[in-house]
Amino acid sequence: MAYDLLIRNTRIVSAADDACAVSGAAFVAVDQGAIVALGPMSALEPASRPRDEVDAEGALLTPGFIDCHTHLVYAGDRAREFELRLQGASYEEIARAGGGIVSTVRQTREAHPADLQQQSARRLASLMRHGVTTVEIKSGYGLNQKAELKSLQVARALGQRFPVDVRTTLLAAHALPPEFAGRPDDYIDEVVQHILPEAARLRLADAVDAFCETIGFTPAQTRRVFEAARAAGLPVKLHAEQLSNQGGAALAAEFGALSADHLEHLDEAGTIAMACAGTVAVMLPGAYYFLRDTQPPPIALLRKHRVPMAVATDCNPGTSPTTHLLLMMNMACTLFRMTPAEALLGVTRHAARALGLLGDRGTVEVGKRADLCLWDVDHPAELAYAIAANPLRARFQRGLQHALQ
Ligand code: DI6
Ligand code: FE
């Protein structure tokens, strides 16, 4: 049989089983960007003729990592705000005083698209160096039609320029822009009547998200955004129960959301609603850590009701300035008490589901995309165990290996 690529002498963690079992010495065959065969080395046909061949020398093979929640397109940074918070100011206080998200909005609006792309490209390259082959990127630092569309265009352009799959999410309902101060319902009118339909018409968004929170938008306002998304044929996700319980998870479930994210203040009713709707719980330990939050998400409840848990960076300048998805796996274990196997499923199979992409990625199985990572570790638990290490040996996107700059 002739095909494009043979990876030999690897040990496969397919992520198709909950235990993240490791195979014995195995091969994976790839053709036209997809996995066409895999099995033990002893079953490799001597007559097979790959156009390219990689000897993994026993390295561990996992699905390419999927970062299913980022805000990585933004301009500037918020190091000054970090200092203020260390002096005692809370995230909510800073947001109410006109800092926080809105200060990034000012800089993102002003940035030339090429500059915005350049600043964001550095973060994307870093994610890729940590094994990411699919990344979700949200808008939400534009907060007017022009700047929201600019952000989504930059995200799409990054996906064209780099060997990584970019999925975009419109998060126009992230914060209230200053020009709408005191008029949140008017801003939601603008989102549902203009920004969202235009993003959908230009096919710039693959999903729609909102920030349902006391410093964000109410459940009633979020519902209007979701109704507009449904009318435009776009799936929804939600920043829910991060700082308080607003009933956002149940609302998201009512709309069949792909995911509800953060969830530190999730209760059992919300958990059951998510379980019934098949909504993924996205854990964002970077934001929990950086805000020095003290209430972890209810992992035991999520387990009890069998809600799939994903893990993501939440890469953003205010609450999670990181591109280290492996470190997020470590924090999901140390801070949230997830198991290393759950953390690995969280950046592979369950992250794929959180983006509606489980059909073609997220596990190492015949028929799936050949988005793959080779790691210099003995056991998959090491990926979550080491603090901010990076044992990535090779990364393949659609069967093509790219240098790890
Ligand atoms: N929750 C978060 O943690 C980020 N957005 C959100 O809705 C924070 C965004 C920021 O502070 O810039
Ligand atoms: Fe977020």
Side-chain angles (χ1 to χ4, degrees):
M1 177 174 132
Y3 49 91
D4 290 334
L5 171 71
L6 172 68
I7 302 174
R8 54 161 69 236
N9 295 323
T10 187
R11 292 172 304 129
I12 302 172
V13 182
S14 75
D17 62 298
D18 286 350
C20 286
V22 188
S23 77
F27 75 92
V28 175
V30 173
D31 197 50
Q32 295 187 15
I35 300 170
V36 290
L38 54 79
M41 282 301 290
S42 55
L44 182 59
E45 289 173 27
S48 74
R49 284 177 288 113
R51 279 173 274 280
D52 196 7
E53 200 168 323
V54 171
D55 186 347
E57 297 176 320
L60 207 69
L61 184 93
T62 67
F65 279 10
I66 298 170
D67 191 351
C68 67
H69 181 141
T70 86
H71 309 245
L72 78 79
V73 170
Y74 62 84
D77 69 74
R78 304 244 289 279
R80 174 68 192 133
E81 176 182 319
F82 179 52
E83 290 176 333
L84 290 175
R85 282 202 299 104
L86 291 174
Q87 287 159 20
S90 75
Y91 182 69
E92 287 96 326
E93 282 163 4
I94 291 168
R96 289 211 170 84
I101 294 177
V102 169
S103 74
T104 302
V105 170
R106 268 194 299 276
Q107 299 182 73
T108 304
R109 284 181 177 176
E110 282 165 15
H112 187 278
D115 185 30
L116 187 58
Q117 190 187 126
Q118 203 46 41
Q119 293 190 43
S120 307
R122 267 183 257 144
R123 294 184 278 271
L124 182 58
S126 175
L127 277 179
M128 291 163 61
R129 281 196 300 275
H130 294 98
V132 170
T133 52
T134 297
V135 59
E136 184 254 18
I137 301 178
K138 302 174 195 297
S139 66
Y141 292 117
L143 307 187
N144 62 32
Q145 182 164 315
K146 188 164 164 246
E148 284 292 296
L149 297 183
K150 174 176 76 174
S151 300
L152 294 172
Q153 272 153 353
V154 164
R156 285 270 197 250
L158 287 168
Q160 302 289 317
R161 185 172 143 201
F162 290 95
V164 62
D165 211 29
V166 170
R167 306 294 292 187
T168 56
T169 299
L170 177 73
L171 177 57
H174 190 196
L176 193 60
E179 58 276 19
F180 280 89
R183 299 185 293 126
D185 290 312
D186 291 353
Y187 179 59
I188 295 296
D189 287 345
E190 174 66 16
V191 171
V192 303
Q193 288 166 16
H194 299 114
I195 304 178
L196 192 155
E198 192 60 6
R201 190 182 70 79
L202 295 170
R203 301 194 179 283
L204 285 172
D206 300 313
V208 171
D209 193 350
F211 187 26
C212 185
E213 190 53 66
T214 52
I215 58 167
F217 295 94
T218 64
Q221 290 158 348
T222 302
R223 177 181 291 278
R224 292 187 59 209
V225 175
F226 283 0
E227 282 166 352
R230 182 180 274 170
L234 291 171
V236 299
K237 322 171 70 69
L238 189 64
H239 283 70
E241 343 292 20
Q242 179 184 8
L243 308 168
S244 62
N245 187 330
Q246 301 287 313
L251 177 63
E254 184 190 325
F255 281 81
L258 290 170
S259 70
D261 306 37
H262 286 288
L263 302 174
E264 279 81 350
H265 296 263
L266 178 68
D267 59 19
E268 186 151 21
T271 311
I272 291 170
M274 288 176 65
C276 294
T279 298
V280 175
V282 179
M283 303 290 113
L284 303 167
Y288 174 91
Y289 162 82
F290 201 66
L291 292 176
R292 297 195 300 163
D293 204 341
T294 50
Q295 180 166 332
I299 299 295
L301 271 183
L302 292 163
R303 277 193 194 120
K304 174 177 160 198
H305 294 288
R306 307 187 65 77
V307 176
M309 293 181 279
V311 174
T313 61
D314 197 14
C315 172
N316 79 72
T319 64
S320 195
T322 179
T323 50
H324 206 310
L325 192 52
L326 289 151
L327 177 59
M328 298 305 108
M329 294 168 67
N330 174 269
M331 287 185 179
C333 298
T334 52
L335 300 176
F336 295 169
R337 297 288 173 219
M338 286 171 69
T339 67
E342 284 172 335
L344 184 52
L345 294 175
V347 298
T348 54
R349 173 153 55 102
H350 295 158
R353 184 188 290 272
L355 296 179
L357 297 175
L358 187 57
D360 77 352
R361 71 196 79 179
T363 62
V364 182
E365 292 176 290
V366 171
K368 293 258 173 141
R369 289 165 57 116
D371 291 352
L372 304 165
C373 289
L374 280 174
W375 306 94
D376 282 319
V377 296
D378 288 331
H379 190 275
E382 285 173 57
L383 295 171
Y385 153 75
I387 302 174
N390 185 11
L392 185 63
R393 174 190 175 102
R395 172 188 172 282
F396 302 84
Q397 200 227 11
R398 288 183 170 268
L400 290 177
Q401 187 175 355
H402 297 277
L404 305 167
Q405 311 100 342

